[in-house]
Amino acid sequence: MPNAKAPESSSSRAVERALDESKQVKKTVEEAADELALVHVVLDKGVARDVRSDDLDRAIEQTDEIEKKLSKSVDLLEKVAEALESESNKKAP
């Protein structure tokens, strides 16, 4: 019987480790999204439209698109963390 418990506890540790790592990644991605949103606002509001180059306009649009992608990634990571936490709770004694 001891062999039957070893894979389960190893599996539980792996799930808990994955949960911790996903939470760390989520926090990092959230911070990057927030910072990029700030850059977008500064560029968009801080540079008069009449003095912007086409390259700057494209960069502003791109920062907005990247921030949206990062925000979606944060949402996905939150769902992953919830699923891992649920799995971890199922395996807990």
Side-chain angles (χ1 to χ4, degrees):
M1 287 272 184
N3 288 343
K5 282 199 165 213
E8 182 180 322
S9 66
S10 176
S11 176
S12 292
R13 283 193 304 270
V15 169
E16 289 173 17
R17 193 168 39 252
L19 176 60
D20 289 342
E21 290 173 1
S22 73
K23 286 180 180 180
Q24 290 173 0
V25 170
K26 178 183 170 279
K27 183 179 177 186
T28 300
V29 173
E30 280 178 321
E31 290 170 357
D34 290 345
E35 290 170 11
L36 191 57
L38 179 61
V39 169
H40 175 75
V41 168
V42 168
L43 288 174
D44 193 33
K45 305 284 186 214
V47 180
R49 292 195 186 277
D50 59 335
V51 297
R52 290 183 190 174
S53 68
D54 289 341
D55 287 341
L56 182 56
D57 280 337
R58 278 192 296 278
I60 291 169
E61 288 176 27
Q62 194 170 16
T63 60
D64 186 47
E65 292 302 313
I66 294 169
E67 189 273 330
K68 288 176 184 175
K69 287 179 185 179
L70 287 171
S71 293
K72 287 180 184 178
S73 296
V74 167
D75 293 341
L76 180 58
L77 283 166
E78 182 66 32
K79 290 177 184 175
V80 168
E82 288 171 4
L84 287 169
E85 194 152 6
S86 175
E87 188 65 24
S88 178
N89 289 338
K90 286 179 190 176
K91 293 182 184 257

